[in-house]
Amino acid sequence: KDSIFRLSDLLIAHCDKHKIGYSAGIVSNAWFLDGEMAAQLYARRVKWVQVTIDGDRSDLRVIGTRLVNPAFQPPRLWDTGFRAIGARVEQSGPVVVLGDLNAPVTTIRYRRFVRDTGLTECADALGLGTPGTWSPVVDGRWAPLMIDHVLTRDARCESFDAPRIPGSDHRAVVATVSW
C-alpha cells in the first residue's frame, strides 16, 4: 500500500504542476480497507474502489450504486434506479446492495424498496440504528441522515462503521459481510 501512496503522490504532484486533471480508481480485495484507508485513498483522489470477492463460492451478488438525488433530479429517475436494483435483487441467493441511495431510511420509497426486496440494513441488523452518513456541510462533524447504505439478504453483517472522510460531505460505509 505504501507503494500505491507514493506513486499516487508523485502523479498528483506532476498533474497539479502541469494543470492536468487527475483522479483514480483501484481494484482491491479490501483486506486492508477500513475507515483510515478510505480516508487515505480519498485524499489521493481515488474516486472508486472495485472490491473483489475472495473464496470458492460464487453465489454472492454485490450491487454497488449511486442513485440520483431526487432533490436535484426528477424523482422518476430516482424511482427508476430503485426499480432497476430491485429487478437484480429478485433472483434468489445472497446479495449485498451498497452505496449512496440518496434515501433516508424514513422515506416511503426506501421503506417500500427494503420491504419488497427482503433486504436488511446492515447497521440495523447489528443494533446500531441508523448512523448518519451525510452532512449538509463538507467535513461536518455530525451527519444527521443515513443516505449511504449496506443492505443484505441471505448474508450476515458482522460489522459496520461510517467514518468521516476529509473533504467530503459523505462518510464512508465500511462493512464486513459473510455468507
Side-chain angles (χ1 to χ4, degrees), residues 130-148 162-165 168-172:
T130 56
T133 63
W134 175 80
S135 173
V137 295
V138 171
D139 288 327
R141 294 204 172 272
W142 60 283
L145 292 176
M146 180 181 209
I147 64 173
D148 305 280
R164 285 185 1 185
I165 300 174
S168 178
D169 60 345
H170 286 258
R171 294 186 177 214

Side-chain angles (χ1 to χ4, degrees), residues 58-117:
S58 62
D59 58 338
L60 178 69
R61 283 175 295 126
V62 178
I63 301 169
T65 189
R66 181 193 181 280
L67 298 183
V68 300
N69 186 331
F72 303 110
Q73 298 290 326
R76 66 179 159 67
L77 296 177
W78 186 54
D79 193 57
T80 299
F82 274 113
R83 282 196 312 274
I85 296 168
R88 299 276 188 254
V89 173
E90 280 181 357
Q91 304 163 5
S92 64
V95 65
V96 177
V97 175
L98 62 133
D100 180 358
L101 299 180
N102 273 306
V105 297
T106 54
T107 59
I108 292 170
R109 184 62 185 103
Y110 173 83
R111 288 179 173 195
R112 187 178 304 135
F113 171 73
V114 169
R115 181 197 66 209
D116 293 349
T117 58

Side-chain angles (χ1 to χ4, degrees), residues 1-9:
K1 67 183 179 183
D2 291 335
S3 298
I4 292 171
F5 291 160
R6 281 193 304 274
L7 180 59
S8 294
D9 292 342

